Amino acid sequence: MPNVKITRRLHFSAAHRLARPDWSEARNQRTFGDCANPNWHGHNYELDVTVSGPPDPGSGYVMDLKELKALVEREVVADLDHRNLNLDVPWLEGVLPSTENLVMRIWDRLAPHVPPPAALDKLVLWETPRHWVEYSGPDG
Amino acid sequence: MPNVKITRRLHFSAAHRLARPDWSEARNQRTFGDCANPNWHGHNYELDVTVSGPPDPGSGYVMDLKELKALVEREVVADLDHRNLNLDVPWLEGVLPSTENLVMRIWDRLAPHVPPPAALDKLVLWETPRHWVEYSGPDG
Amino acid sequence: MPNVKITRRLHFSAAHRLARPDWSEARNQRTFGDCANPNWHGHNYELDVTVSGPPDPGSGYVMDLKELKALVEREVVADLDHRNLNLDVPWLEGVLPSTENLVMRIWDRLAPHVPPPAALDKLVLWETPRHWVEYSGPDG
Amino acid sequence: MPNVKITRRLHFSAAHRLARPDWSEARNQRTFGDCANPNWHGHNYELDVTVSGPPDPGSGYVMDLKELKALVEREVVADLDHRNLNLDVPWLEGVLPSTENLVMRIWDRLAPHVPPPAALDKLVLWETPRHWVEYSGPDG
Amino acid sequence: MPNVKITRRLHFSAAHRLARPDWSEARNQRTFGDCANPNWHGHNYELDVTVSGPPDPGSGYVMDLKELKALVEREVVADLDHRNLNLDVPWLEGVLPSTENLVMRIWDRLAPHVPPPAALDKLVLWETPRHWVEYSGPDG
Amino acid sequence: MPNVKITRRLHFSAAHRLARPDWSEARNQRTFGDCANPNWHGHNYELDVTVSGPPDPGSGYVMDLKELKALVEREVVADLDHRNLNLDVPWLEGVLPSTENLVMRIWDRLAPHVPPPAALDKLVLWETPRHWVEYSGPDG
């Protein structure tokens, strides 16, 4: 069976701020502009999770979409939705929540849980409808 | 000349929290659920500003869209984008930033500045692509 | 308090067929074209439910969106999603499921349950992204 | 039978220029900015045509969508698609093709052809996804 | 000439059901949930067809889009639109119409007809705006 | 640090015509159909610019999005927006402005300006929401 890729889109709304505690406020403002606003700002994020693998000869599924959705909700959305990415998320402690850093941490949360022979193939994380990041893992 | 309506969509990203200072934290949580998260959350808002009036016989315009955009950016977006709606905006002081309350305050900011014979006709404020509010003014 | 309108979008996927049992197959084909295919076809429907009313002075809400979503899911989506509109829905018995007829029946399901002073204001039912119907009730 | 509104979206791509032959080039540039570029520019337009009326007791249709689509293609899209709005369209001769002027002329093309008891209710003409005009006729 | 990829999106609306005739109804329900509803359900599918190749030095085209559209309409859309994927399509006989299985069969219909030096590069098949599959052929 | 891809979408509106000066008008009409209309037509183009590289350990950025946007506006959008692609753009002189040819020229404008270790990875150019091209460079 050849590989097919399936994707499920999920969303979460969160606050964040781009600023490093080890930098001065002036340097944070210079580097991150209004993304460094001390009182936070926020976004509606969309997360596209792509899994690749051969369709199962019985079910015709690469992976059951209900299981994929449940996995992403449990490992990612439940922790991020209506939360502050700098303050509220144990697995983002010490991480500057740029979209780039965020997508790499989400990969680490999801990759171990995709049941073989399927495998996590790609994540696309939309911060706005006109700006997004894409990640295919440390070897991608 | 009959009336035509023109609309310009603008966006801003902001943090907020639904919670009343005159209510207990327990009551806020009960009423607003995870929208009351003490560390804030946020959204990408889209704002559709509709102006109604007769097209000018010379320019064919109800209102110059560049002027409309500049007006909304100056009176609304400059104050809300990458800001905290509970903390950072003088004209939202004391206002619980539900989408309903927010759209009414935005109306008050914009209506006096639309040059007659055009007039502000409607605002649509999107908090997510699946939830929005609409307001046509106190007499609408 | 002036009126504000809030809208929540929900979706369901369903099969249907346009054909009247009291008409011949030839007349059904002539009237409805490939919408009369005897083996059904189907759509992803989007339903925009708009409620109008004064924001509550306490919560700032016209109506709690979680309650609105739960109401539409219970009264409409639970019966229509992944169903056949001609065969599976008790409250559509004897109804030719054109989009027009469908939106009027959905109104009847929802209007009695919106808590005053809010009231159901408008339904928009999308059959495809390029074709939709709009209904504001029998007096709308 | 109460009224239901049905809408069909169609598209066309056209070139145009905002400039009056009875004004100097300098005045055109001052008024219309880069929309006055002498060598034209262009847009993908989307046109939403809304018809209102009681659903037919037999077909359940306010108006057959295939007929509505054919009407708009014959009266509007065939003349505008892949054309220059200033030069190529007999029924736009002498009309400055602002979106406002364009939507009023499209109304005049369509309104007489909608079969009663249905009637043309509203046109929405999108010049970009972030700018559109709306027209409900000379008495709307 | 380097390779460029061009994509054309087409759509079709169809009914289907996920259930294997060689499995019991109970097992089908357990595996496929409400996708196994015996009376069918349906979707608006979007199909993105990507062709890759060097632009022709004369026309500047990888492939004439009108020809690509005509090819997909003839080989795929004409058979699937307003049809039942389990019952009405000769080239889907015996195929469980999961999105994964469907996209592989569509590939087999299209790949032999793309005129060299262009070649079919990728198919994306959207079952809903939040769930899609992607296929690059048996060697992709 | 592994590679992450970031994308910024920008837009421009332009007129163009597909026709070769070294071909007869008849041959241009035969090859390009109504895209050869002598009086031009036009589109709203969307351009997705993807840059790939390791996130900077300090800023967490592959590339500052404000810089990326400024680069694309300076090198591409300023020359194309509200312009005629056949007549107004020095770096398109002698280029038949098919979407394929256009995306290759845009690549040449942008690639030299992306600051290492980031590099231009992919361009997607949308001529309409249902037709787009993709280019990954002469070695892509």
Side-chain angles (χ1 to χ4, degrees), chain C residues 13-15 34-35 37 39-46 81-84 87-88 127-129, chain E residues 13-15 34-35 37 39-46 81-84 87-88 127-129:
Chain C
S13 296
D34 53 12
C35 293
N37 177 30
N39 286 331
W40 323 97
H41 66 283
H43 297 288
N44 301 325
Y45 292 90
E46 301 272 358
D81 191 33
H82 283 73
R83 291 289 175 273
N84 184 309
L87 301 178
D88 291 335
E127 198 173 88
T128 75
Chain E
S13 296
D34 52 13
C35 293
N37 177 30
N39 287 330
W40 324 96
H41 66 283
H43 298 287
N44 301 326
Y45 292 88
E46 301 272 0
D81 191 33
H82 283 73
R83 292 289 176 272
N84 184 310
L87 301 178
D88 290 336
E127 197 173 88
T128 76

Side-chain angles (χ1 to χ4, degrees), chain E residues 15-46:
Chain E
H16 79 153
R17 179 193 182 210
L18 297 187
R20 299 181 63 97
D22 54 336
W23 285 3
S24 70
E25 199 58 24
R27 185 175 176 190
N28 279 322
Q29 292 289 342
R30 215 167 45 234
T31 307
F32 298 111
D34 52 13
C35 293
N37 177 30
N39 287 330
W40 324 96
H41 66 283
H43 298 287
N44 301 326
Y45 292 88
E46 301 272 0

Side-chain angles (χ1 to χ4, degrees), chain D residues 12 14-16 45 80 83-89 92 95 97 102:
Chain D
F12 56 93
H16 79 152
Y45 292 89
L80 304 187
R83 291 289 175 273
N84 184 309
L85 303 178
N86 301 63
L87 301 179
D88 290 335
V89 189
L92 291 177
V95 175
L102 187 54

